[in-house]
């Protein structure tokens, strides 16, 4: 069992707080959490917003799709918890000079050109904020998004999001230059976990929501445990 597994706050701790908002990041960081995951989308006017869904309905109870809206329009909206949707720039401003790892998941509506633009803008904002190195991991279910990221900055660490039952995913991740595989817990086998490590990549497992999940992730020797309950499982 990995003794030094990292606890990652999935969607900034979605099971314990309002998901993917700056207030949750600030509060969890004040409690000593050292790793967070959030999702990023590109707006109509080429700004980057942190939110999981492309639609605003579930989070905010209003009609609207992030990629079809301007930043000004999105900033007028509040989550059901009363919080604004943060920009990547706002998150990076908070993270400056802090010893915190951030995992950024590239989200897209399936348009390859917009995904490439998102990667380009993200890399530009990261460089401007001087945020990177061991404090950053870019992840995606789309290998093209990770390849675009490497194109704009080969030094950025990347991780392939996938199910853990098909070992072809390990080869695909390695060929794309990934440093991590982030696999769905319930489909991850011991063989898959061992092979990931054998190929020189680290393994993150998601999404841990119970004690049983947590024990299984540790038994599979996950390097990172991605959970909706980071405060609970950091104790």
């Amino acid at each position: 069992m990995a003794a030094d597994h990292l606890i990652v706050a999935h969607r900034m701790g979605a099971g314990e707080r309002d998901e993917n908002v700056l207030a949750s990041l600030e509060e969890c960081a004040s409690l000593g959490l050292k790793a967070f995951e959030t999702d990023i989308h590109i707006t109509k006017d080429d700004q980057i917003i942190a939110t999981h869904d492309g639609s605003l309905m579930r989070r905010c109870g209003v009609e609207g799709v992030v990629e079809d809206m301007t930043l000004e329009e999105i900033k007028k909206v509040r989550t059901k918890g009363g919080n604004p949707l943060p920009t990547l720039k706002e998150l990076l401003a908070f993270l400056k000079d802090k010893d915190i790892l951030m995992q950024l998941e590239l989200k897209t509506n399936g348009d390859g050109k917009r995904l490439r633009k998102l990667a380009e803008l993200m890399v530009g904002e990261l460089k401007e904020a001087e945020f990177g190195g061991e404090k950053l991991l870019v992840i995606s279910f789309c290998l093209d998004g990770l390849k675009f990221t490497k194109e704009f900055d080969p030094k950025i660490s990347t991780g392939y999001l996938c199910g853990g039952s098909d070992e072809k995913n390990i080869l695909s991740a390695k060929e794309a230059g990934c440093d991590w595989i982030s696999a769905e817990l319930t489909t991850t086998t011991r063989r898959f976990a061992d092979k990931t490590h054998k190929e020189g990549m680290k393994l993150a497992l998601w999404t841990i929501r119970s004690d049983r999940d947590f024990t299984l992730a540790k038994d599979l020797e996950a390097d990172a445990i991605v959970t909706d309950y980071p405060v609970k499982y950091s104790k």
Side-chain angles (χ1 to χ4, degrees):
M1 182 178 71
D4 58 348
H5 54 262
L6 182 68
I7 300 297
V8 180
H10 182 240
R11 303 187 198 175
M12 300 187 197
E16 296 170 334
R17 286 165 177 78
D18 197 4
E19 71 175 62
N20 282 341
V21 298
L22 184 56
S24 296
L25 173 61
E26 292 172 343
E27 186 174 352
C28 287
S30 73
L31 295 174
L33 296 185
K34 296 295 186 181
F36 296 83
E37 183 268 352
T38 193
D39 313 87
I40 57 174
H41 291 258
I42 188 172
T43 66
K44 182 179 180 179
D45 53 345
D46 292 345
Q47 302 298 310
I48 300 178
I49 288 289
T51 187
H52 179 271
D53 301 359
S55 165
L56 298 181
M57 180 54 69
R58 179 182 66 88
R59 296 284 320 287
C60 305
V62 299
E63 297 287 349
V65 175
V66 172
E67 294 192 15
D68 296 333
M69 300 172 69
T70 65
L71 178 61
E72 182 180 5
E73 290 170 332
I74 291 170
K75 279 300 187 180
K76 294 177 181 177
V77 175
R78 294 292 181 269
T79 68
K80 293 175 182 177
N83 293 292
L85 301 181
T87 63
L88 177 58
K89 289 178 182 178
E90 289 169 337
L91 298 180
L92 294 176
F94 171 76
L95 292 169
K96 186 175 178 62
D97 300 326
K98 292 182 175 62
D99 183 24
I100 289 176
L101 167 70
M102 178 59 76
Q103 296 185 5
L104 298 175
E105 181 180 345
L106 298 172
K107 290 284 190 178
T108 177
N109 62 6
D111 185 331
K113 290 183 180 180
R114 294 301 283 165
L115 179 60
R116 190 176 191 276
K117 186 66 176 179
L118 172 59
E120 180 183 15
L121 292 170
M122 174 194 68
V123 170
E125 292 188 12
L126 290 167
K127 288 181 177 179
E128 184 177 350
E130 298 181 342
F131 188 86
E134 295 181 355
K135 295 164 64 173
L136 172 68
L137 179 67
V138 175
I139 58 178
S140 182
F141 284 101
C142 180
L143 283 169
D144 283 344
L146 303 178
K147 292 174 182 178
F148 292 147
T149 299
K150 289 285 192 181
E151 175 187 339
F152 293 116
D153 188 345
K155 299 186 297 296
I156 290 179
S157 295
T158 56
Y160 183 34
L161 283 161
C162 62
S165 57
D166 188 346
E167 293 181 27
K168 292 178 181 178
N169 289 326
I170 298 173
L171 178 60
S172 295
K174 190 172 183 180
E175 290 177 344
C178 293
D179 306 276
W180 285 75
I181 284 182
S182 187
E184 203 277 322
L185 174 69
T186 61
T187 61
T188 299
T189 62
R190 164 61 64 182
R191 179 184 174 92
F192 185 94
D194 290 346
K195 187 170 179 59
T196 295
H197 286 134
K198 185 177 180 180
E199 293 295 335
M201 290 177 285
K202 292 185 177 181
L203 177 67
L205 292 174
W206 50 272
T207 301
I208 280 61
R209 297 187 175 99
S210 68
D211 292 348
R212 180 179 179 278
D213 288 348
F214 186 65
T215 298
L216 178 57
K218 290 194 297 181
D219 288 346
L220 289 170
E221 300 185 17
D223 299 286
I225 294 176
V226 185
T227 175
D228 284 343
Y229 302 93
V231 174
K232 175 181 178 180
Y233 290 114
S234 294
K235 294 178 180 179

